[in-house]
Amino acid sequence: MSFRDAPASVWILLFVPALVLLAGCDVPSSGPSLETETGLNSPVVVNKTFSFLGGPDSQHAPLIDTTTSQFDSLFTVADSDQSIAIEEEVSSFDLGSLDQALDEASGGLGANASIAERVIQGDLGNQEIAARYSQTNGQPAPVPSPGSPLPEAGGLPVTEDTLPFPFDLQLPDYGVASIDAAGVQRGTLTDVAVVNGTDINQITFELVNDDPSSPPLTDGEGEAPSITVRNEGGDEQGPIGTAQFESPIDPGSGAKAVADVKGESLVEDELQLVLNVSGGGSEDELALTLSPLQYKNVTVDGVSTVDIAASSSISTGEDGSSQFAGIEPQKGTMELTLTNDQRFPIDISTLRLENDENTALPDTFETLGISESATSIDPGTAHTFNVDLGGRGVARSVDVTVEAQLAESYGKDTLTVAAGDGLRTDVSVAEDFAVGAMFFWPTGETVDVKGRFDFEADRISFDQSGDFVDLNDGTLAMTHLLSEPDVSFESLDLRLPDLTRQDAPLTVALEGFPETIQEDLSGVRVAPTKNEVSYRLQGTLQDIPESSQTSSTLQVIRSTDEVRADVSVENLGVEALEATVDPFSVDVTEDANGDGMLDLEDPSEVTRESFGDIGDATNNVDGLELQGSELNFQVTTDIGTNAQLYAALQGRGGRSPIYLKGQKEKAVSQNSTRADRLVESGTPIARENLIQFGVNGPTLTAGQSITLTDENSNVDEFVSALPSSLHFVAQARLTGDENNRIRLERPVAFEAGLSATVPVRVRSRFELRDTIDADFSALDDVTDPSKDVTVSDAELRARYANALPMGADAKLFVLDENQNEVLSLPGDGESLRVRPPSKADDGTADGTRTGTATLDLSQDQLHDLAAGRRLALRLTMAQEEGEVATFRATDTIQLSLEASVDASVSVNN
């Protein structure tokens, strides 16, 4: 067999032509043993133009019928230039799930803490101990005291104008200052006129006109006489009171008049009586009666001793403090301030404070026992004694005693003492005072104690305002609950402001102090601050009314008394969180058997997705190498962090399994440990077969496009393998955003669409295969073994007009009715060559190339060909090294086929 060809150009992608090869000859019938030589040219059995793409309604028969189910969605054609691309889209590509991210991020989340808070805080811790004791000399009683004999003087002459005051001023008795002195030098009287029904602060004068022959006693002008009491000289010079008689006093009669001296100052050595009396004789008399005098202040002389004594019981409880019976201080200083309000200096011999013995306090209550002495205090000044309260007790009622004397340093023999003068004692505690124990009757005091405990997590930290964890499950447990104070609570709650349900703080009632308390945390938001949760212990003590305040109802609370509990927050189910994150890894596809590996061959672990119709082309194409492919992942997620995916993605169902490999920034480093768990049949997948890409969340609104090209992957090689399915296992490394922040919410939205765009640009050889119906039974007449046929020459001529951008080597395989191969054309080492046309710069065909290829047939080949009912076509498409062929939907190839047979036939009767 020989093969001859003329230049031609043929490229057929997924070529499925229907060729009908017809051959015929006229066999004459004559007399027996007649041999005839004849030359036969069959008509053209194929003369057809094919377009590259099309359908039943296309102008030309399509090489690829895009209306069939096999290819109806595989190709897209640009209207502008009829350029072709293979496009596939997987609208929902199951990358896997990131729900595990919440579980991983919240690993170790919870709290285990012991809280112990002292109860003496708040109201109970702010006890004030203060008292003021002031004791004045007091208003002395009138002297002489009412009811005592009054000083009287009589038989005074009325013939003189002035008389000396007939009485000495008596020293009053002051309650605080006991004064031993020679007498009163001067005194100022009160404004009081009557004390206990007795007239005071007045002088009664009685004039008697005893001479019957004398004229009436008058003022010298015929009016009633008067007598004035005055201080003759000094600062107090002047009248202090006048007794005005009602009328002249006739002979043989008498009359009385009263001089009011209240509020006046009396000077012992300056007092005089001024008589405004005319007509008096030697027998006339003047008598005086001095009422009790009440002094506001006096100046005494001839002072020998002054003793001061003051004592009283005082209350140390301030308004607003608890109703305590006594306090034993933990520490502190009592400040005792003694103020000398006398008008002379004093020496303190004794300052003593003792607890009142008549209280409800127990016998074990510490004594106060404060005693100070040997201190001089000038008039109008104060001295403060600082007393350490350590080891002492302060009752609510304290007895104060002060004893003092006139200071030895006082060098005068006169001094002044006044009713309002005295001593003041002020009791207070310094700022360092702290209650050690308080014996009291509760009156509804409040306990308000604040604290914090750690809220821990392995991978996240709550270091910004607004960080939170939303829970759908969990338990707050309180165990070993104990209240040490010997007090009764009306209510006691543990409030957790950082744990809220419907914006209300979680509150746990503690009254009764059960051994264990559990609270369900479903629906609770935990919002720690600096990885700590705050709590507030708030309570109210019972209220014991005053009528029930006895020694039996007295309660005690000590500074060391605590409310204690062990608190745990555990078994948390996390619904959402926002925090700062340390990078961590999660499985994107499932580790179904829990062996720590993600196996590409384990059906329960691998994700499989169909790659649409692109794999169907493997039925027709072999060895295809495409160029310019692009895979695009469109990822949408609500994950509030950045993630880096490490994946093994293998295409299957094509020519052979092939990995989608990352290059450059998409490549996985040989030293990386991020993908150690990605295996195939238990064997780690080589790093160069993996790919990585980043997802920056959240991208729910616009999504994120991740594009793979030949710049960052082997996508051309991958798509050229025409895989029909994708197998996928992956891990993700969650790194946080640019501020290491993460926000997650269950369910974590993580969805992807995958699209492939492959321009039909070919850069190498590839092979097309197809099988068509081809009935060669018309050759039976020249191949009938019952006839004597001698074939001298037979050939098959193929003419073509090729406007496809590639040439091809064609191989024909003839199949009989049982689909068995009976003939292949041409023979081994030969090919039927279809030549390509010239190409433009973009790789498209530039014009049409025509040619003829001739195939010589032997008689045996004709015989085998006659048995053929179908024809298998194999086209090996090829072009020059380094060139790229770009196809258009309207590219065409015209083919025609005819046979020529020269044969001799012998016919016998």
Side-chain angles (χ1 to χ4, degrees):
M1 178 179 66
S2 64
F3 176 68
R4 302 187 304 278
D5 66 273
S9 173
V10 178
W11 187 95
I12 305 173
L13 177 60
L14 309 179
F15 180 43
V16 193
L19 300 177
V20 180
L21 305 178
L22 301 177
C25 64
D26 295 329
V27 182
S29 177
S30 61
S33 301
L34 178 64
E35 181 176 299
T36 300
E37 290 189 6
T38 182
L40 300 176
N41 287 320
S42 68
V44 176
V45 296
V46 174
N47 185 12
K48 198 165 188 177
T49 300
F50 299 90
S51 63
F52 183 64
L53 296 182
D57 298 331
S58 299
Q59 179 182 358
H60 306 295
L63 293 174
I64 300 176
D65 187 351
T66 58
T67 65
T68 65
S69 60
Q70 186 177 13
F71 299 115
D72 59 357
S73 61
L74 184 60
F75 295 97
T76 61
V77 179
D79 293 335
S80 60
D81 59 3
Q82 294 295 297
S83 61
I84 309 167
I86 300 173
E87 289 194 356
E88 274 299 334
E89 182 172 349
V90 182
S91 60
S92 179
F93 182 80
D94 185 6
L95 283 176
S97 169
L98 284 179
D99 279 356
Q100 185 188 2
L102 262 170
D103 300 328
E104 290 292 333
S106 58
L109 190 67
N112 282 285
S114 294
I115 63 174
E117 296 294 343
R118 293 186 300 110
V119 177
I120 293 191
Q121 297 188 49
D123 288 353
L124 293 175
N126 295 325
Q127 299 300 321
E128 292 289 337
I129 292 180
R132 168 170 287 192
Y133 164 61
S134 178
Q135 187 165 356
T136 64
N137 294 325
Q139 183 60 58
V143 288
S145 61
S148 299
L150 297 178
E152 294 181 351
L156 299 178
V158 292
T159 59
E160 299 180 9
D161 293 338
T162 61
L163 295 174
F165 193 71
F167 304 113
D168 291 332
L169 299 180
Q170 297 183 34
L171 182 66
D173 184 13
Y174 285 93
V176 171
S178 176
I179 301 172
D180 184 6
V184 175
Q185 188 181 76
R186 65 178 298 279
T188 300
L189 302 177
T190 66
D191 293 329
V192 178
V194 178
V195 171
N196 298 325
T198 300
D199 294 330
I200 65 172
N201 296 333
Q202 65 182 23
I203 304 171
T204 303
F205 293 88
E206 183 178 6
L207 276 176
V208 178
N209 190 349
D210 276 345
D211 186 354
S213 60
S214 67
L217 299 178
T218 67
D219 63 356
E221 295 181 0
E223 299 296 329
S226 63
I227 300 174
T228 299
V229 182
R230 71 175 184 183
N231 291 318
E232 178 187 9
D235 295 337
E236 305 296 336
Q237 181 178 356
I240 60 175
T242 298
Q244 178 65 54
F245 291 91
E246 292 182 358
S247 61
I249 302 172
D250 292 330
S253 63
K256 291 182 179 182
V258 176
D260 183 4
V261 293
K262 62 180 183 294
E264 298 295 338
S265 295
L266 308 180
V267 180
E268 172 79 11
D269 295 336
E270 302 292 338
L271 284 174
Q272 285 183 342
L273 300 179
V274 178
L275 280 62
N276 188 14
V277 179
S278 176
S282 59
E283 295 182 5
D284 297 333
E285 292 182 353
L286 174 63
L288 285 77
T289 302
L290 183 63
S291 73
L293 299 180
Q294 187 179 51
Y295 294 98
K296 288 194 294 186
N297 57 68
V298 296
T299 299
V300 298
D301 56 11
V303 177
S304 58
T305 61
V306 177
D307 292 323
I308 297 175
S311 63
S312 180
S313 293
I314 58 175
S315 174
T316 58
E318 286 278 88
D319 291 341
S321 62
S322 295
Q323 189 64 35
F324 64 84
I327 291 177
E328 292 178 343
Q330 178 185 8
K331 63 177 182 176
T333 302
M334 176 176 282
E335 297 177 345
L336 302 177
T337 300
L338 186 61
T339 302
N340 179 14
D341 287 332
Q342 301 287 357
R343 306 187 187 196
F344 48 86
I346 59 174
D347 289 337
I348 304 298
S349 59
T350 300
L351 173 60
R352 185 169 54 251
L353 274 73
E354 297 287 353
N355 290 329
D356 188 347
E357 295 181 356
N358 298 318
T359 67
L361 290 169
D363 294 338
T364 57
F365 188 77
E366 298 286 354
T367 60
L368 181 56
I370 296 175
S371 180
E372 298 290 340
S373 62
T375 299
S376 294
I377 306 175
D378 290 334
T381 63
H383 181 80
T384 298
F385 301 89
N386 293 314
V387 180
D388 184 5
L389 290 177
R392 302 177 188 268
V394 181
R396 191 175 193 87
S397 179
V398 173
D399 296 333
V400 179
T401 300
V402 179
E403 296 177 356
Q405 296 81 37
L406 180 66
E408 292 182 1
S409 61
Y410 190 69
K412 302 177 183 179
D413 66 350
T414 64
L415 58 81
T416 299
V417 60
D421 297 347
L423 297 176
R424 281 184 290 126
T425 303
D426 292 283
V427 178
S428 62
V429 292
E431 291 183 356
D432 63 345
F433 175 78
V435 175
M438 181 168 68
F439 297 78
F440 72 121
W441 293 279
T443 54
E445 289 88 348
T446 60
V447 175
D448 193 348
V449 182
K450 297 179 182 179
R452 308 185 71 86
F453 58 81
D454 291 338
F455 193 73
E456 301 175 341
D458 294 339
R459 295 184 176 90
I460 57 176
S461 60
F462 305 93
D463 50 16
Q464 292 190 17
S465 175
D467 287 352
F468 70 91
V469 175
D470 284 343
L471 305 178
N472 56 30
D473 196 8
T475 302
L476 169 70
M478 299 185 67
T479 57
H480 306 114
L481 196 61
L482 175 65
S483 176
E484 293 180 338
D486 183 20
V487 294
S488 300
F489 287 93
E490 190 71 25
S491 65
L492 184 62
D493 296 330
L494 180 69
R495 294 170 57 86
L496 297 158
D498 295 333
L499 277 69
T500 57
R501 181 182 279 122
Q502 297 179 347
D503 297 328
L506 187 68
T507 301
V508 182
L510 305 182
E511 54 260 30
F513 294 94
E515 184 174 345
T516 301
I517 297 176
Q518 287 192 339
E519 288 286 332
D520 179 28
L521 296 181
S522 299
V524 167
R525 168 168 286 196
V526 184
T529 301
K530 301 299 183 183
N531 299 314
E532 291 182 329
V533 169
S534 62
Y535 63 85
R536 193 168 185 176
L537 194 64
Q538 291 181 302
T540 302
L541 302 184
Q542 70 176 132
D543 187 353
I544 299 178
E546 187 174 355
S547 59
S548 300
Q549 294 177 3
T550 64
S551 59
S552 62
T553 58
L554 189 68
Q555 300 184 13
V556 61
I557 189 169
R558 303 183 185 278
S559 61
T560 56
D561 289 347
E562 295 178 330
V563 172
R564 298 200 303 263
D566 292 334
V567 179
S568 64
V569 180
E570 55 190 5
N571 302 322
L572 303 183
V574 178
E575 189 73 15
L577 62 83
E578 182 172 353
T580 299
V581 65
D582 292 329
F584 64 94
S585 298
V586 296
D587 295 338
V588 177
T589 52
E590 184 180 5
D591 180 12
N593 57 14
D595 64 354
M597 302 296 173
L598 303 176
D599 200 325
L600 203 61
E601 292 296 331
D602 188 334
S604 62
E605 296 185 349
V606 69
T607 293
R608 291 187 289 266
E609 291 288 348
S610 170
F611 203 31
D613 299 324
I614 195 169
D616 294 338
T618 57
N619 299 324
N620 303 78
V621 181
D622 189 21
L624 181 66
E625 291 187 29
L626 299 172
Q627 187 179 47
S629 305
E630 184 177 290
L631 280 180
N632 188 280
F633 289 92
Q634 191 72 18
V635 179
T636 57
T637 180
D638 63 355
I639 185 171
T641 183
N642 297 338
Q644 192 74 11
L645 264 65
Y646 296 84
L649 196 156
Q650 189 180 64
R652 297 187 182 182
R655 294 197 307 249
S656 62
I658 183 170
Y659 282 103
L660 181 61
K661 306 174 184 179
Q663 297 173 359
K664 296 182 180 177
E665 75 278 3
K666 297 292 190 291
V668 177
S669 167
Q670 292 294 328
N671 298 324
S672 173
T673 60
R674 303 299 182 207
D676 288 346
R677 299 176 59 205
L678 305 181
V679 300
E680 184 176 9
S681 298
T683 301
I685 299 172
R687 296 292 188 272
E688 60 267 22
N689 289 334
L690 303 178
I691 191 169
Q692 66 169 320
F693 50 85
V695 176
N696 299 327
T699 60
L700 276 180
T701 304
Q704 179 182 349
S705 180
I706 301 169
T707 301
L708 302 180
T709 67
D710 61 355
E711 290 293 322
N712 56 22
S713 70
N714 68 331
V715 64
D716 282 342
E717 179 186 4
F718 183 81
V719 174
S720 296
L722 304 176
S724 61
S725 64
L726 306 177
H727 290 219
F728 179 82
V729 290
Q731 269 196 319
R733 182 75 172 169
L734 275 64
T735 59
D737 62 14
E738 62 275 9
N739 297 316
N740 299 321
R741 302 286 296 163
I742 188 172
R743 183 183 178 96
L744 298 172
E745 183 174 358
R746 197 185 303 274
V748 178
F750 188 59
E751 299 175 354
L754 173 64
S755 62
T757 302
V758 186
V760 182
R761 295 198 300 267
V762 182
R763 63 184 176 187
S764 63
R765 300 169 61 88
F766 65 96
E767 188 175 277
L768 296 174
R769 298 180 301 276
D770 205 354
T771 301
I772 60 175
D773 292 332
D775 188 354
F776 296 100
S777 61
L779 296 176
D780 287 346
D781 288 342
V782 295
T783 59
D784 188 347
S786 65
K787 296 181 180 181
D788 186 8
V789 179
T790 301
V791 177
S792 58
D793 187 35
E795 64 181 14
L796 192 63
R797 297 189 187 101
R799 292 184 176 88
Y800 58 86
N802 184 14
L804 300 175
M806 291 187 75
D809 292 324
K811 192 81 172 180
L812 304 176
F813 300 91
V814 181
L815 308 178
D816 64 13
E817 61 185 6
N818 295 320
Q819 303 300 308
N820 295 317
E821 180 183 328
V822 295
L823 178 65
S824 63
L825 297 173
D828 294 339
E830 299 179 299
S831 64
L832 185 62
R833 182 65 179 165
V834 178
R835 299 284 182 179
S838 60
K839 289 185 289 187
D841 292 341
D842 62 357
T844 58
D846 186 11
T848 302
R849 184 165 186 172
T850 60
T852 301
T854 302
L855 186 64
D856 292 333
L857 301 175
S858 67
Q859 187 167 348
D860 289 340
Q861 288 175 321
L862 280 175
H863 180 271
D864 292 339
L865 187 62
R869 297 298 178 266
R870 289 175 65 81
L871 186 66
L873 176 67
R874 183 177 70 191
L875 293 177
T876 301
M877 311 302 295
Q879 60 184 338
E880 294 297 328
E881 183 72 25
E883 293 187 0
V884 174
T886 302
F887 291 89
R888 293 171 296 196
T890 53
D891 288 345
T892 61
I893 184 170
Q894 182 179 7
L895 299 175
S896 64
L897 188 64
E898 64 180 2
S900 175
V901 180
D902 291 333
S904 297
V905 182
S906 296
V907 180
N908 298 316
N909 290 331

